[in-house]
Amino acid sequence: RKGNFEHFMEKEIHEQPDSLTMTMRGQLIRGGEQKAKGILLGGLKDHLKTMRRSRRILFIGCGTSYHAALAARPVVEELSGIPVTMEIASDLLDRQGPIYREDTAIFVSQSGETADTLQALEYAKSNGALCVGITNTVGSAIARGTHCGIHLNAGCEIGVASTKAYTSQIAVIVMLALLDKDMKELAALLMDEQSLLVFGRGYNYATALECALKVKEVSLMHAEGIVAGEMKHGPLALVDETLPIIVIATRDASLNKQQSVIQQLKARKGRLIVMCTEGDAEFMCPDGTCRFIEVPKVQDCLQPIINIVPLQLLAYHLTVFRGFNVDQPRNLAKCVTTQ
Ligand code: F6R
């Protein structure tokens, strides 16, 4: 219905404050006073790692949808550091332009049904690229045919000339560019918790202690680093569905024992964040009930150097989210000259 407007186009132009709000709602992590603390884009979460590692991002669309991607391209290029190529769908098909397995191809389409864009999607898929859809139509051919995607949620667009979809497409692509690194997202989830346990053993017992120390000293959240072998001798009593627990289970001689720790914590419905070696997530927790921090594999004795970095970032982001002073934590001095 056109309401007070004479035409749908006029109505849809005026709807943009609302349609943009709808587009952004649900994609943001809320902090205090309704301020946005970060970006979620939940529809992409299983493919974010692949996207971040891609060699190139291709935006593919037609008409207004192509223009939306063109408008947002500079911010994507600047913030992701990944080269971005623009493709008009029909031109890509005419040229049979090269697309590689290491590419992320992002298909932008209001309707999700545009034939050229759909055909370009089939072409990109057959070349092995990760295919992401940005559409305004749930269940459309492009939404169904892509590996993952974002729903614009701009509301139905009836006027043939696309207006409100254009601004929502730009907003979504900018959000994509601003998408938080993994640890920021994790910190946003944990920012209101009272306490955090960190289980490590062997080379990474120190990592667990150091993570807990960093979290305590800067974010002022209680945290405890525990040698995993002690779990059954007391700490297990704390485990429930709410207390967040980080288990360091990267590949080394302790891996089997840490897998057993994970099983025991899962049996008590523990809220687990597993630090594992890249590519191990599926096998560490096949039922998908854990969150993961994946790190590259290095020599066992050097693994603590790699493992602590995301945990330092976690402490940092937790502190910023909780509104405390990162560089001068409460009651602490850089150099303690008194006993
Ligand atoms: C112009 C216009 C078209 C569409 C194009 C792609 O106002 O609406 O240029 O943008 O046909 O359509 P979608 O976005 O549905 O793939």
Side-chain angles (χ1 to χ4, degrees):
R1 292 219 210 96
K2 296 195 208 81
N4 294 331
F5 297 98
E6 242 181 275
H7 301 98
F8 281 112
M9 183 176 175
E10 186 191 15
K11 175 174 178 266
E12 286 159 7
I13 290 170
H14 283 89
E15 268 172 3
Q16 288 177 99
D18 289 337
S19 56
L20 277 165
T21 306
M22 292 299 291
T23 295
M24 288 189 269
R25 183 172 294 160
Q27 311 287 10
L28 299 175
I29 302 164
R30 295 250 163 240
E33 296 165 11
Q34 288 301 296
K35 281 196 188 138
K37 289 283 189 184
I39 291 165
L40 268 179
L41 296 182
L44 304 183
K45 74 173 178 353
D46 295 336
H47 293 86
L48 276 179
K49 279 225 153 61
T50 317
M51 285 178 72
R52 286 185 182 123
R53 281 190 213 132
S54 45
R55 301 265 295 272
R56 180 175 67 146
I57 294 171
L58 290 106
F59 280 109
I60 302 168
C62 302
T64 294
S65 294
Y66 174 84
H67 291 162
L70 190 64
R73 171 203 200 167
V75 69
V76 175
E77 213 158 38
E78 188 182 330
L79 296 185
S80 71
I82 303 172
V84 179
T85 309
M86 300 300 306
E87 291 285 0
I88 292 172
S90 60
D91 185 46
L92 173 72
L93 292 166
D94 288 347
R95 295 176 2 254
Q96 295 287 291
I99 297 194
Y100 306 103
R101 292 180 60 79
E102 299 79 16
D103 288 336
T104 293
I106 305 183
F107 295 86
V108 187
S109 171
Q110 191 284 132
S111 62
E113 301 289 350
T114 298
D116 287 333
T117 313
L118 194 53
Q119 214 181 320
L121 166 60
E122 294 313 321
Y123 174 66
K125 267 208 292 199
S126 66
N127 283 284
L130 173 69
C131 294
V132 180
I134 298 179
T135 75
N136 196 32
T137 317
V138 177
S140 62
I142 291 172
R144 283 184 279 116
T146 40
H147 298 113
C148 59
I150 308 167
H151 173 48
L152 288 176
N153 205 20
C156 191
E157 194 177 64
I158 295 170
V160 168
S162 187
T163 53
K164 62 178 181 174
Y166 176 73
T167 44
S168 285
Q169 284 165 338
I170 297 176
V172 158
I173 299 172
V174 171
M175 283 198 280
L176 187 67
L178 292 171
L179 202 56
D180 307 302
K181 303 284 173 269
D182 294 352
M183 299 319 294
K184 193 169 174 187
E185 192 184 318
L186 183 58
L189 284 177
L190 300 182
M191 63 182 272
D192 294 321
E193 299 301 333
Q194 301 283 325
S195 189
L196 172 73
L197 298 188
V198 192
F199 284 111
R201 73 192 322 145
Y203 281 118
N204 285 290
Y205 172 31
T207 310
L209 295 180
E210 177 58 11
C211 169
L213 176 60
K214 279 292 153 292
V215 169
K216 269 185 290 210
E217 72 172 322
V218 288
S219 81
L220 313 189
M221 178 189 289
H222 170 254
E224 212 178 316
I226 301 170
V227 65
E230 280 290 283
M231 182 181 72
K232 289 194 216 156
H233 302 288
L236 200 52
L238 291 171
V239 177
D240 63 10
E241 289 164 26
T242 59
L243 175 69
I245 303 172
I246 298 178
V247 181
I248 303 169
T250 40
R251 279 183 182 260
D252 64 16
S254 301
L255 182 63
N256 287 345
K257 286 184 177 169
Q258 288 302 75
Q259 276 181 289
S260 148
V261 164
I262 291 168
Q263 292 313 321
Q264 293 175 50
L265 292 170
K266 277 175 68 166
R268 273 102 187 157
K269 299 200 164 37
R271 188 176 160 200
L272 297 192
I273 300 144
V274 176
M275 172 173 271
C276 65
T277 302
E278 267 171 358
D280 276 0
E282 180 88 41
F283 124 90
M284 296 299 285
C285 182
D287 63 8
T289 54
C290 308
R291 291 188 72 91
F292 294 96
I293 304 168
E294 288 185 78
V295 290
K297 170 86 190 100
V298 292
Q299 288 288 325
D300 291 2
C301 63
L302 299 178
Q303 195 71 51
I305 300 176
I306 301 293
N307 290 0
I308 196 61
V309 177
L311 301 173
Q312 290 169 338
L313 282 170
L314 175 66
Y316 168 79
H317 289 303
L318 272 176
T319 311
V320 174
F321 284 154
R322 286 160 69 87
F324 297 119
N325 189 331
V326 178
D327 289 329
Q328 290 182 324
R330 187 173 70 190
N331 303 337
L332 299 182
K334 184 71 184 162
C335 184
V336 181
T337 53
T338 52
Q339 287 186 315

